Amino acid sequence: MSYIVNKVQDDLKKIIADAAAKAAENGTLAAEPTGAFNVEIPADRANGDFSTNAAMAWARELRNAPRKIADAIVAEANLDGTYFDRIEVAGPGFINFYLGDRYYADILKDIRAKGKNYGRSDYGKGKKINVEFVSANPTGPMHMGNARGGALGDCLAAVLDCAGYEVSREFYINDAGNQIDKFALSLDVRYQQIYKGEDAVELPEDSYHGE
């Protein structure tokens, strides 16, 4: 994850906390709130790039209506030096934050600087993981499920690798066991039938008869 994304989240929490402290200092809030609150990315971008329920979370603590708490926070919020350029109150007291152009410009610069390493993390550092995929049955025809498994398995392994895991990819070659014994017997019988005739050598009922 880009350091810029982490900075935005840290900035947002500080903006909210500092604004609440200022509102308490000037008397628009009864006290500086201490309760926890959530910061989320709204499902609908019309509701901002980030949204917080701080005003509703602090309503009981401050004994005030969430909407009034939200208005007090927005009035004291200082966006200078942050990636946000707009803040507004919505609904029963949600506070929505909107990112400015500088955020997207800096993200593009970060992507260009890091190149193919952009987005990599050390989340899985020190952990090993084995991804086994495809494992096609050699006794039957290949099908779209085999192709899909190959693409999905390799993509999953690549994502895990970017997340810092030590990844090994394994294609299980299903070439042992009872079904392979039957397959070998079927080939042997068919080979003999080519030279001796199909009636000369009987193909066992539980072998592979073909389609």
Side-chain angles (χ1 to χ4, degrees):
M1 181 182 292
S2 171
Y3 75 94
I4 297 174
V5 176
N6 290 328
K7 184 178 187 305
V8 164
Q9 295 173 341
D10 291 340
D11 283 351
L12 185 52
K13 294 174 183 176
K14 188 174 187 305
I15 291 170
I16 297 167
D18 288 351
K22 288 181 180 179
E25 185 178 341
N26 64 30
T28 53
L29 289 182
E32 183 176 346
T34 59
F37 60 89
N38 295 326
V39 173
E40 299 178 344
I41 298 176
D44 186 351
R45 294 296 293 275
N47 295 323
D49 295 293
F50 290 90
S51 182
T52 180
N53 69 338
M56 290 176 283
W58 292 336
R60 177 175 294 183
E61 179 183 350
L62 298 177
R63 297 184 179 182
N64 203 346
R67 184 84 188 195
K68 290 184 178 180
I69 296 173
D71 287 337
I73 292 172
V74 169
E76 298 295 342
N78 181 9
L79 303 182
D80 293 344
T82 73
Y83 283 112
F84 298 99
D85 66 0
R86 184 159 60 96
I87 178 175
E88 62 183 31
V89 179
F94 288 104
I95 304 175
N96 299 334
F97 294 80
Y98 297 81
L99 292 165
D101 292 341
R102 188 169 70 88
Y103 169 79
Y104 299 103
D106 283 358
I107 284 288
L108 291 175
K109 291 177 183 177
D110 193 35
I111 292 173
R112 183 176 182 182
K114 293 181 178 177
K116 64 181 181 180
N117 289 321
Y118 179 80
R120 297 189 70 90
S121 75
D122 58 359
Y123 180 83
K125 185 177 181 179
K127 298 179 182 178
K128 296 181 179 180
I129 189 165
N130 178 63
V131 180
E132 178 188 318
F133 52 97
V134 181
S135 300
N137 186 349
T139 64
M142 296 289 284
H143 51 76
M144 286 305 298
N146 299 129
R148 180 183 62 188
L152 291 178
D154 191 56
C155 287
L156 176 60
V159 169
L160 291 168
D161 178 67
C162 283
Y165 290 91
E166 184 179 337
V167 181
S168 59
R169 294 168 170 82
E170 181 176 353
F171 170 71
Y172 178 65
I173 303 176
N174 194 9
D175 62 351
N178 188 51
Q179 66 173 356
I180 296 300
D181 290 339
K182 290 182 179 180
F183 186 51
L185 175 61
S186 301
L187 291 177
D188 180 56
V189 171
R190 288 301 191 190
Y191 179 79
Q192 293 184 57
Q193 288 177 342
I194 291 174
Y195 292 96
K196 299 179 181 180
E198 291 191 7
D199 295 333
V201 184
E202 183 179 357
L203 187 65
E205 183 63 30
D206 62 347
S207 59
Y208 292 98
H209 288 250
E211 297 181 358

